[in-house]
Amino acid sequence: MVNNLTDAPLPELIEEHLPPNHRAGFVAVVGRPNVGKSTLMNRLLGQKIAIVSPKPQTTRQRLLGILTLPDSEGEGLPAAQVIFVDTPGIHRPLHKLGKFLVESAREAIPDADVILWLVDGSEPPTDEDRLVASWLPKVSEGHSSAPILLGLNKVDLFSPETDVLLVCQPFLDLYPITEWLPISAARGDNEAELLKRIIQLLPLGPRFFPEDQVTDQQTRFIAAELIREAALQVLHQEVPHALAVGITEFKQRSEQLTYINATIIIERDSQKKIVIGKQGQTLKQIGQLARTEIETMLEGQVYLDLWVKVQPNWRKNEADLRRLGYALT
């Protein structure tokens, strides 16, 4: 269950007794769309706070995932607080929403204590991988910058005969990184080793967040994301990219029941018909999938009331983007 969610703009250092070797800091997880950033963060946290789907640009907001490790936790990992910053996939934008996604990811890079560059090892580098590499801090600039670790993801798709170094070398050629690791966000390969390396690169210091907090986002934000994830699973073609979700009411009506009223926003009447489906069956399927996930998060029953609204060209309208929370300032 997601606990103690807040929307505080800036964390404060948590004063408590910690070992002198305690490390804490922010890890920006960057990469092109669909390389497994959200899947990896969910696995490392041990619970789901970021939605996932095979469709590009599923992640639209920077999302903090907070992993607090007491001394001697897990496989010999030291005491630390690792704050993962899950970012939208870096790509060449086609509209204002795309620009927001890219800028949101780009702004996470300079503020990070460690940069985890995630790539898809099951295929060669793409133009978008090259774009990500061009935005990483330049070693030649002559000043200290955050250490960068390359995660070669999706090794679960490799054959036993695959030469991992040979696969990784084209990505290493894009940026002079000495730290890299083959991993599988889906299967968990090298999960403990990845965490160990990240913690070693973090600065010494106290915690930024309470021990039991796992994200900076409010529960209603995650509920909206779970509805959008359900829509991504059910819908096809161009509709998911033109879809947003807004929560209009989120109220606990009893100890056992939470009422949620949400609106699925799309751009055209033809898309509205697709989302609703014949006799409302598609919308019903979206609601059933979303309600199951939200009930798991809240550990209680949910009454989910879904509506569909047409908002023409909302992805290109700055006012609409701001109302939906897609604004950097």
Side-chain angles (χ1 to χ4, degrees):
M1 176 179 177
V2 177
N3 294 319
N4 295 339
L5 306 186
T6 71
D7 59 349
L10 288 174
E12 296 182 358
L13 295 176
I14 305 300
E15 297 296 332
E16 53 190 331
H17 177 71
L18 292 170
N21 64 338
H22 184 273
R23 294 180 181 272
F26 292 79
V27 180
V29 186
V30 300
R32 65 173 176 84
N34 282 101
V35 293
K37 299 182 294 297
S38 297
T39 301
L40 177 63
M41 188 175 75
N42 288 340
R43 173 170 285 279
L44 293 175
L45 293 176
Q47 62 177 291
K48 182 177 182 177
I49 65 166
I51 68 171
V52 294
S53 91
K55 296 180 174 66
Q57 300 166 36
T58 297
T59 300
R60 288 180 174 173
Q61 302 269 24
R62 277 183 295 182
L63 178 66
L64 298 191
I66 305 160
L67 177 64
T68 302
L69 296 169
D71 234 350
S72 302
E73 177 77 5
E75 300 181 27
L77 296 171
Q81 186 171 80
V82 187
I83 306 162
F84 295 100
V85 186
D86 186 24
T87 63
I90 294 175
H91 62 285
R92 298 195 183 280
L94 300 176
H95 41 64
K96 287 186 178 180
L97 174 62
K99 290 180 181 179
F100 165 78
L101 302 182
V102 172
E103 282 305 308
S104 179
R106 189 171 185 174
E107 285 197 356
I109 294 175
D111 297 331
D113 296 297
V114 176
I115 298 169
L116 175 59
W117 177 24
L118 206 61
V119 300
D120 182 350
S122 68
E123 55 186 55
T126 67
D127 288 340
E128 289 172 336
D129 288 311
R130 295 181 184 90
L131 179 61
V132 177
S134 72
W135 283 3
L136 296 176
K138 299 295 186 292
V139 177
S140 60
E141 288 176 354
H143 56 77
S144 60
S145 62
I148 301 171
L149 174 62
L150 174 66
L152 184 73
N153 193 24
K154 304 190 181 181
V155 298
D156 52 298
L157 302 179
F158 291 8
S159 68
E161 296 78 24
T162 300
D163 185 331
V164 178
L165 177 58
L166 192 63
V167 172
C168 191
Q169 191 59 53
F171 295 99
L172 298 175
D173 291 340
L174 297 180
Y175 191 89
I177 296 174
T178 56
E179 286 278 342
W180 67 278
L181 188 68
I183 63 171
S184 169
R187 197 169 61 188
D189 298 34
N190 279 331
E191 176 183 346
E193 179 63 23
L194 176 64
L195 268 178
K196 180 180 177 182
R197 292 199 191 184
I198 288 172
I199 293 170
Q200 289 173 343
L201 295 172
L202 289 175
L204 295 169
R207 295 170 181 164
F208 289 87
F209 294 92
E211 183 177 355
D212 58 352
Q213 185 172 341
V214 294
T215 183
D216 63 329
Q217 294 293 345
Q218 293 180 327
T219 308
R220 62 188 295 153
F221 167 84
I222 299 178
E225 286 288 270
L226 291 173
I227 296 168
R228 190 164 65 87
E229 180 185 53
L232 289 171
Q233 292 181 32
V234 173
L235 301 170
H236 305 286
Q237 298 176 349
E238 85 285 354
V239 176
H241 298 293
L243 183 148
V245 176
I247 301 290
T248 52
E249 189 174 356
F250 192 105
K251 184 179 294 183
Q252 189 166 346
R253 290 188 169 174
S254 70
E255 289 186 6
Q256 294 80 27
L257 180 65
T258 300
Y259 173 77
I260 301 174
N261 186 296
T263 302
I264 296 176
I265 299 168
I266 38 75
E267 292 185 315
R268 298 195 298 271
D269 287 325
S270 60
Q271 295 168 344
K272 181 176 181 178
K273 293 177 181 178
I274 294 172
V275 173
I276 295 175
K278 187 177 181 179
Q279 298 181 337
Q281 287 303 305
T282 303
L283 186 61
K284 182 179 179 180
Q285 186 181 359
I286 293 170
Q288 289 172 337
L289 287 171
R291 188 180 68 250
T292 299
E293 290 289 340
I294 298 171
E295 286 179 340
T296 299
M297 175 182 70
L298 297 179
E299 296 184 348
Q301 291 181 316
V302 169
Y303 185 95
L304 179 59
D305 204 357
L306 278 185
W307 300 83
V308 183
K309 177 183 177 182
V310 177
Q311 190 74 35
N313 297 317
W314 67 265
R315 288 179 294 173
K316 299 179 181 178
N317 186 296
E318 188 168 343
D320 288 337
L321 290 170
R322 287 184 178 278
R323 277 193 292 270
L324 291 167
Y326 301 126
L328 291 171
T329 56

